[in-house]
Amino acid sequence: MTAPIRALLTALALCALAACTPRDAATESQREVAPILLSADARDAHSFARPAEARVTHVSLDLAADFEAERMVGSATLDLEVADDATEVVLDTRDLDIREVSNAGGEALQWALGEADGAHGAPLTVQLDGAEQIKIEYASSPDAVALQWLSPEQTAGGEKPFLFSQGQAILNRSWIPTQDSPGIRQTWDARIVAPEGIQVVMSADLANRDGERVDGPEGQAMRAFEFEMIHPVAPYLIAIAAGDLAFREIGPRTGVWAEPATLAAAAREFTDLERMVAAAELLYGPYRWGRYDVLVLPPAFPYGGMENPRLTFLTPTVIAGDGSLVSLLAHELAHSWSGNLVTNATWNDTWLNEGFTTYIENRIMEQVYGPEQAAMLAELSWADLQAGIEAAGGPSSAATQLHVELDDIDPDDWPSGVAYEKGEVFLRTLEHAVGRERFDAWLRGYFDRYAFQPQTSARLLTDLNEHLFADDPALAERIGLERWIFQPGLPSNAFHWTSPRFAAVDRIAAAFVERGDAAAIPWDDWTTQERLRFLAALPRELPAPRLAALDRALALSESGNGEVRFAWLMLAIPNRYDPAKPSAEAFLTSMGRRKFVAPLFEALIAQGEWGAAFARELYAEARPGYHSVTTTTVDETVGYRPSG
Ligand code: BES
Ligand code: ZN
């Protein structure tokens, strides 16, 4: 029997038992089972799964969000594709409380949890005894690394608690027992029960916006929300948020979810969202996920953005008030092609997600805001790349390769800046070598050829040779594709897109260093990108009077633009500029975005007596508000040890 037919029959059998609506059976038959790569270069060192024996094809979650206990409680029912001679399935888990595993008939199956191995968690091995569907009853731990349970005080509204998840890279196993490997794509659905007054959203189609009234334990008023993702996705892309959330439309298929207090500002900030989707489609073909909505999270969200399908998760720090940081939106939208449609098979090829996305982000920005803006963004990114290579140990460090061998390195603790900007520059270099028209046609075809599939560096290389360089292999040779992908450093043929407006900014920065005349800085006429360039162009060592003059003229310590505030503090702290301390304190206790939090604590610690004690005290105060992604990184920096 073929897998889809088997799945359909199982669905019909289950429907007979559970009296489902015909809609369920119909969508079940629409689900596709995505292929997986099983070549040696696609072995995933960060998952215990052995998909060649038994692999998960569909996940069905039935969970209640228990805000008091800070646990997700319920079950995950997994559809499996089992090889003829296989007897067991291995799943990824982390800190899960497994209560029972049974087959479709409700009979108990034998299972065992292996030893826990740090960030990898523990393998859950289930004896199948012929089963091709298993149900795992479980609860997540209050310490689940993917989840953050916020008290009402940690939200904008201050009245209701909030829950959100962050799955990438290997965190989802802390609330979903499945094969947590990006190469093992799974369709999924979910029924989530939450207390009355809490709106649940997920990275999938929400069938009932208002939920359905159900009784909780002790007759408590609850609501059940139903979700469905009919496309096979990498399991790190299953995401949830629940809290006091409201929705506002932006365009016909775009909109924003946020706490009521943030909704209007968010909708204003993201007015160009629909145009961005249209621009991306023009370049790379149809947007394949139906709606594209964004969700503004409470300030604890540890990333700038996370490309959860149909529902990008965003930090509130992207709301600058003037739309000046929306390249972040373009970035997460770009992942709808690079990352969500074509997905790195393992975390050794993160650059296939992030590098492609950083390139596409810039192309979307160029399409919507013009080449002058795009050039500035590209040049900021180029500077980030230089810094990233240094931070990774210099140009001969293996950490500066696009394809990396992470093996026993935790992919969530990996400074992957190089994957973003070196990846971007590689694609930009290819674009310039073959011409934009040919390159765009290739990239669009690439997304069609590998849609809903995992991807590896090796397969990309083959594809480039077969599709982009078929009639000019000598050109591929000259560019040095393999060197770009598998060797460290930045090849000398790297294409550097420069911005004439930045050249002007650089001259003004030099004049300020010389004369200290802050009134001569045309700050108000500048875009945020020029302001960021200005701050980056200043020498890292500046005397206090120069810093004070800047701060007085430009109010940098109070800047409400997160990127500007961060760039300023990263200049002021190493110069031990005292007024930076209250500014850093206010900033670091107001949001938990790792990209800002981690370097600032590092900079403070590096200042010994001036900054280290201050940093430790501040961290103890701020840490309870941070997500595990941020604390895992910063704990090490500040030498934090939990007391008691
Ligand atoms: N997918 C990433 C976030 C991520 C990467 C999470 C690796 C876990 C592991 C997301 O698309 C991203 O890159 N976010 C950036 C924004 C961006 C504009 C560079 C961020 O959070 O700063
Ligand atoms: Zn990204």
Side-chain angles (χ1 to χ4, degrees):
M1 212 188 298
T2 66
I5 292 176
R6 200 170 51 222
L8 180 59
L9 290 180
T10 321
L12 292 175
L14 287 177
C15 277
L17 291 174
C20 348
T21 58
R23 176 176 172 269
D24 293 319
T27 46
E28 180 116 6
S29 66
Q30 283 166 11
R31 286 181 204 143
E32 316 143 39
V33 173
I36 48 177
L37 289 173
L38 292 170
S39 55
D41 65 314
R43 197 189 67 84
D44 184 357
H46 301 109
S47 168
F48 291 106
R50 300 196 305 261
E53 292 168 39
R55 62 163 295 208
V56 176
T57 60
H58 182 79
V59 179
S60 185
L61 299 172
D62 189 352
L63 296 169
D66 183 339
F67 282 86
E68 253 101 74
E70 305 195 338
R71 289 179 193 273
M72 298 299 286
V73 185
S75 67
T77 301
L78 310 180
D79 292 352
L80 307 173
E81 198 170 70
V82 186
D84 287 341
D85 53 350
T87 59
E88 56 186 39
V89 64
V90 185
L91 308 171
D92 294 297
T93 74
R94 187 169 173 188
D95 302 327
L96 293 184
D97 179 3
I98 306 289
R99 293 170 180 174
E100 193 175 319
V101 183
S102 54
N103 66 16
E107 294 155 342
L109 297 174
Q110 279 189 19
W111 57 272
L113 265 184
E115 210 177 304
D117 174 21
H120 294 172
L124 170 62
T125 306
V126 177
Q127 301 306 318
L128 292 172
D129 211 4
E132 296 190 344
Q133 186 182 66
I134 59 173
K135 179 176 182 183
I136 302 154
E137 277 160 81
Y138 71 101
S140 64
S141 156
D143 301 319
V145 283
L147 303 178
Q148 191 171 7
W149 301 85
L150 299 170
S151 66
E153 302 75 58
Q154 291 171 304
T155 67
E159 271 166 30
K160 292 180 188 173
F162 200 100
L163 160 71
F164 71 87
S165 69
Q166 165 60 37
Q168 196 183 4
I170 56 169
L171 308 178
N172 260 353
R173 60 192 67 179
S174 70
W175 72 287
I176 306 172
T178 187
Q179 293 179 320
D180 191 12
S181 173
I184 308 176
R185 303 180 82 98
Q186 300 152 38
T187 52
W188 63 276
D189 62 66
R191 179 176 179 273
I192 307 287
V193 174
E196 181 80 60
I198 296 287
Q199 171 76 48
V200 182
V201 294
M202 293 187 86
S203 51
D205 180 32
L206 168 53
N208 54 346
R209 166 90 65 90
D210 299 327
E212 180 203 339
R213 178 58 230 270
V214 292
D215 282 339
E218 289 145 37
Q220 214 186 325
M222 310 282 279
R223 271 183 192 275
F225 297 84
E226 285 173 27
F227 302 90
E228 184 166 43
M229 172 48 71
I230 58 167
H231 301 294
V233 295
Y236 71 87
L237 293 171
I238 304 176
I240 188 170
D244 186 7
L245 289 170
F247 178 79
R248 185 173 294 185
E249 213 165 84
I250 293 176
R253 56 178 162 167
T254 51
V256 54
W257 286 97
E259 288 192 68
T262 318
L263 192 61
R268 230 178 298 120
E269 198 83 10
F270 306 151
T271 43
D272 291 333
L273 192 56
E274 190 78 29
R275 287 176 63 208
M276 286 185 172
V277 179
E281 284 191 310
L282 198 66
L283 289 164
Y284 305 113
Y287 176 77
R288 307 209 197 197
W289 305 89
R291 292 197 57 85
Y292 183 72
D293 294 324
V294 299
L295 164 68
V296 180
L297 286 129
F301 190 62
Y303 286 105
M306 178 63 215
E307 65 272 24
N308 298 313
R310 294 177 64 100
L311 185 63
T312 279
F313 283 25
L314 292 173
T315 169
T317 64
V318 69
I319 303 175
D322 56 2
S324 63
L325 301 178
V326 295
S327 61
L328 188 112
L329 277 189
H331 179 97
E332 305 312 334
L333 169 64
H335 274 304
S336 306
W337 285 263
S338 44
N340 299 356
L341 198 56
V342 180
T343 311
N344 51 213
T346 74
W347 301 113
N348 292 346
D349 279 328
T350 291
W351 82 276
L352 294 174
N353 280 15
E354 300 301 342
F356 275 61
T357 293
T358 307
Y359 171 79
I360 293 174
E361 165 194 342
N362 194 272
R363 294 296 305 275
I364 294 172
M365 291 303 287
E366 179 180 339
Q367 190 76 26
V368 178
Y369 301 101
E372 201 172 57
Q373 176 69 15
M376 289 193 283
L377 290 164
E379 183 127 63
L380 286 175
S381 176
W382 177 268
D384 285 345
L385 175 55
Q386 308 307 319
I389 290 174
E390 277 325 298
S396 57
S397 160
T400 64
Q401 291 166 201
L402 287 177
H403 173 87
V404 287
E405 300 290 340
L406 291 182
D407 289 336
D408 43 34
I409 297 171
D410 176 359
D412 288 304
D413 210 14
W414 173 248
S416 56
V418 170
Y420 288 72
E421 289 104 20
K422 184 177 172 184
E424 175 189 15
V425 171
F426 176 43
L427 297 193
R428 185 70 69 185
T429 303
L430 294 179
E431 180 203 320
H432 272 266
V434 302
R436 183 168 269 197
E437 206 177 314
R438 273 182 60 200
F439 185 73
D440 286 357
W442 169 78
L443 188 46
R444 187 182 171 139
Y446 170 86
F447 291 126
D448 289 337
R449 282 191 290 284
Y450 303 104
F452 300 110
Q453 292 181 47
Q455 183 64 303
T456 65
S457 282
R459 202 152 74 136
L460 167 73
L461 191 57
T462 306
D463 191 88
L464 282 169
N465 285 319
E466 281 176 5
H467 290 277
L468 188 60
F469 295 106
D471 22 320
D472 197 354
L475 178 56
E477 198 63 34
R478 279 201 302 284
I479 296 169
L481 305 181
E482 296 193 38
R483 187 205 177 304
W484 266 97
I485 298 170
F486 297 108
Q487 300 291 315
L490 187 61
S492 57
N493 61 350
F495 185 83
H496 177 187
W497 191 9
T498 56
S499 155
R501 282 174 61 174
F502 277 9
V505 171
D506 290 352
R507 284 192 293 276
I508 293 169
F512 171 74
V513 172
E514 200 160 304
R515 293 190 284 278
D517 178 11
I521 302 166
W523 191 255
D524 291 340
D525 304 334
W526 276 344
T527 60
T528 290
Q529 285 65 42
E530 285 164 299
R531 293 172 180 184
L532 292 172
R533 174 63 177 206
F534 174 78
L535 292 172
L538 296 171
R540 295 300 87 187
E541 250 176 72
L542 271 183
R546 282 283 185 282
L547 290 167
L550 275 183
D551 203 9
R552 229 181 297 115
L554 314 174
L556 295 167
S557 290
E558 277 94 59
S559 176
N561 183 305
E563 295 284 352
V564 169
R565 178 82 159 258
F566 174 70
W568 161 245
L569 291 172
M570 288 301 285
L571 173 67
I573 290 169
N575 286 292
R576 303 188 179 186
Y577 176 67
D578 284 318
K581 278 185 178 169
S583 175
E585 179 170 358
F587 191 46
L588 288 166
T589 51
S590 73
M591 55 85 226
R593 185 175 173 188
R594 182 172 71 175
K595 179 185 140 177
F596 294 151
V597 173
L600 285 171
F601 274 106
E602 214 171 298
L604 285 167
I605 294 284
Q607 293 312 312
E609 226 171 280
W610 184 85
F614 170 74
R616 292 209 177 87
E617 218 169 287
L618 178 54
Y619 189 56
E621 179 194 344
R623 189 179 184 277
Y626 295 156
H627 184 272
S628 84
V629 159
T630 299
T631 58
T632 301
T633 303
V634 183
D635 280 359
E636 235 172 279
T637 308
V638 308
Y640 175 87
R641 255 167 236 88
S643 57

